Amino acid sequence: VTMDNSVTNMGDATTWTVSGNWDSYSVTTFSRGTSTLTMNGTTKTINSSGSSANAFYNLTIDGTITLNPTDTFGVTNGGVVTVNSSATLTIAASKGLAIYNKVTSGLVINSGGTVTGSGQIYMQNATVGQQSGTINVATLEVRGTGTSLTFASGTYSSASVLLGVEGNTPTFTFSSGTTTFTGNVNFYNSNSAT
């Protein structure tokens, strides 16, 4: 799907299922509503503007998809990125997946699902809600502007994990189960690593 028109309306509570590539970079007005884009193709790509105005609401990966946007890619306004079993989302080098405003569960990786690549996952006021698969990106950064963040247990193989809360008494809570970080982990408050 290549969109080069000025306005795209995804609709509310609708699901778009795409087996090919997705390119909405040239869309100037992108109305996401509460829609879901499901990518189920093999060796397909997503290219989208880094503007939060052009971000998806929900994104479901059900194939082998490479995120290679012209800019950083975002999912905003309470949306969720879900990587299903046997699916892989690869984030290209110098690119990123940005997830905003989903405090309880902004990223869900089901058993057998994988998020990998040389790029970055950046989460602002959003957390990993389920981590039963694999996260292996260069950098995973989770940042909140409230007083606490809850983080799903699981194995995080990213080379660098940054966990930060900006507030008076920030806390991190890890859900029950074992949490394993195989790379460097930095905790910070108000942008100061600790």
Side-chain angles (χ1 to χ4, degrees), residues 19-51:
S19 298
N21 297 318
W22 177 276
D23 187 343
S24 59
Y25 181 76
S26 296
V27 174
T28 56
T29 302
F30 189 82
S31 298
R32 66 185 154 269
T34 56
S35 63
T36 299
L37 171 64
T38 298
M39 296 289 295
N40 67 359
T42 302
T43 62
K44 301 302 177 186
T45 60
I46 297 173
N47 181 25
S48 179
S49 168
S51 165

Side-chain angles (χ1 to χ4, degrees), residues 11-190:
D12 281 328
T14 59
T15 299
W16 291 39
T17 300
V18 177
S19 298
N21 297 318
W22 177 276
D23 187 343
S24 59
Y25 181 76
S26 296
V27 174
T28 56
T29 302
F30 189 82
S31 298
R32 66 185 154 269
T34 56
S35 63
T36 299
L37 171 64
T38 298
M39 296 289 295
N40 67 359
T42 302
T43 62
K44 301 302 177 186
T45 60
I46 297 173
N47 181 25
S48 179
S49 168
S51 165
S52 62
N54 289 356
F56 295 113
Y57 183 75
N58 292 315
L59 174 64
T60 299
I61 303 300
D62 217 9
T64 53
I65 309 298
T66 297
L67 181 62
N68 193 14
T70 303
D71 301 320
T72 301
F73 176 79
V75 174
T76 66
N77 294 335
V80 179
V81 174
T82 302
V83 180
N84 285 328
S85 298
S86 302
T88 300
L89 174 61
T90 301
I91 302 173
S94 301
K95 303 297 179 178
L97 169 65
I99 302 170
Y100 300 99
N101 301 323
K102 184 63 176 175
V103 174
T104 56
S105 186
L107 177 61
V108 172
I109 303 176
N110 292 310
S111 180
T114 301
V115 180
T116 189
S118 300
Q120 171 184 359
I121 298 173
Y122 175 80
M123 303 176 79
Q124 175 72 42
N125 292 329
T127 62
V128 179
Q130 177 180 327
Q131 206 315 57
S132 302
T134 302
I135 295 180
N136 184 15
V137 293
T139 303
L140 169 62
E141 181 172 0
V142 180
R143 177 185 294 209
T145 56
T147 57
S148 64
L149 285 175
T150 301
F151 210 72
S153 61
T155 299
Y156 297 87
S157 300
S158 297
S160 178
V161 178
L162 306 169
L163 304 173
V165 177
E166 299 170 17
N168 293 331
T169 56
T171 60
F172 275 94
T173 304
F174 293 92
S175 61
S176 62
T178 301
T179 301
T180 303
F181 296 99
T182 61
N184 296 322
V185 179
N186 288 309
F187 292 92
Y188 63 88
N189 177 20
S190 299

